[in-house]
Amino acid sequence: MINGEILYVINPNSSQDLTKGIDDSIAPLRAFGREIRCLTLAEGPSGIESQAQADETIPHMLRLAASLSDAAGFVIACFGDPGVHALRDRTDKPVLGIQESAVSTAMTLGQRFGIIAILPASIPRHLRSLGAMGVTDRLAGDRALNLGVAALRDATTTMARMEEVGRQLRDQDGADVLILGCAGMARYRVQLEQVLDMPVVDPCQTAVAMALGRITLNQSHKIGGTDAH
């Protein structure tokens, strides 16, 4: 059986505002009865906008996760999934990355998915992850808002750009489902889905939902792990 009671959602950057947005977005999933706690990585940058920034958070995230003895599972709430495989190597508890979870879910909602990235510099690390997953043939496109993590707080500007980029992905690239390519975009999902009349996947919601299923089923990624006997 999985030891631990709490599903921890770790935001690898140091923005408390972003963590609150994640917490608000996953609130409906608390109806399943599992305690879900969202944490901010104090040692992280204010926003993760490059591969270097993502990689630099990994040792700090691993130390934080190791200190959470009451954990039933973990969600790493950064698109690009920094440290997910390293943490899986250290624990037999469920570990979900939001990009991997979002892509897996999007492929059940449509044939070709499009990703709304924050900046052009984010796209190469998305593509590396998609290549590792072997799903690039299902990718319609990955387009950037040209807005950094901090700029996502401006709701008017962000929503206008998300609608514009979403239409490009749908009408020019052929996407029939969209993925929000940053944990800081969660509050825009419902409105964007309504405006564009197509499925929109929020990666944090999706990863938390998948983690809850793993915990409930006592399902581990490790042979000889929590569900081995």
Side-chain angles (χ1 to χ4, degrees), residues 52-69:
Q53 287 178 319
D55 291 348
E56 287 166 2
T57 68
I58 295 173
H60 305 293
M61 182 275 293
L62 292 174
R63 282 194 291 273
L64 175 59
S67 73
L68 303 172
S69 59

Side-chain angles (χ1 to χ4, degrees), residues 48-220:
I48 297 175
E49 298 173 349
S50 69
Q51 186 71 57
Q53 287 178 319
D55 291 348
E56 287 166 2
T57 68
I58 295 173
H60 305 293
M61 182 275 293
L62 292 174
R63 282 194 291 273
L64 175 59
S67 73
L68 303 172
S69 59
D70 55 356
F74 304 93
V75 169
I76 308 305
C78 175
F79 209 77
D81 299 342
V84 165
H85 297 289
L87 184 53
R88 285 176 182 164
D89 196 50
R90 294 190 175 194
T91 182
D92 54 13
K93 296 175 181 180
V95 178
L96 280 296
I98 64 171
Q99 178 176 341
E100 189 175 49
S101 300
V103 170
S104 298
T105 297
M107 291 192 299
T108 71
L109 293 170
Q111 180 60 29
R112 302 187 71 215
F113 61 89
I115 298 174
I116 300 177
I118 51 173
L119 296 167
S122 304
I123 295 174
R125 64 190 175 99
H126 297 173
L127 296 178
R128 283 191 288 272
S129 296
L130 296 173
M133 291 180 70
V135 297
T136 52
D137 60 328
R138 299 281 295 273
L139 174 67
D142 194 334
R143 292 179 178 255
L145 298 176
N146 292 313
L147 299 173
V149 174
L152 296 178
R153 299 190 190 105
D154 183 335
T156 301
T157 300
T158 300
M159 190 61 212
R161 280 293 294 146
M162 291 183 81
E163 182 177 347
E164 180 182 2
V165 171
R167 289 188 189 280
Q168 291 170 346
L169 287 164
R170 184 192 66 186
D171 300 339
Q172 297 178 30
D173 300 331
D176 51 14
V177 55
L178 298 179
I179 297 172
L180 303 181
C182 177
M185 297 179 181
R187 62 183 171 136
Y188 302 105
R189 184 190 70 82
V190 173
Q191 185 178 355
L192 188 64
E193 198 166 61
Q194 292 171 345
V195 168
L196 297 180
D197 192 28
M198 65 189 301
V200 177
V201 175
D202 172 66
C204 293
Q205 292 173 339
T206 299
V208 168
M210 292 179 74
L212 291 172
R214 297 278 177 86
I215 293 167
T216 301
L217 295 172
N218 291 318
Q219 192 170 36
S220 175

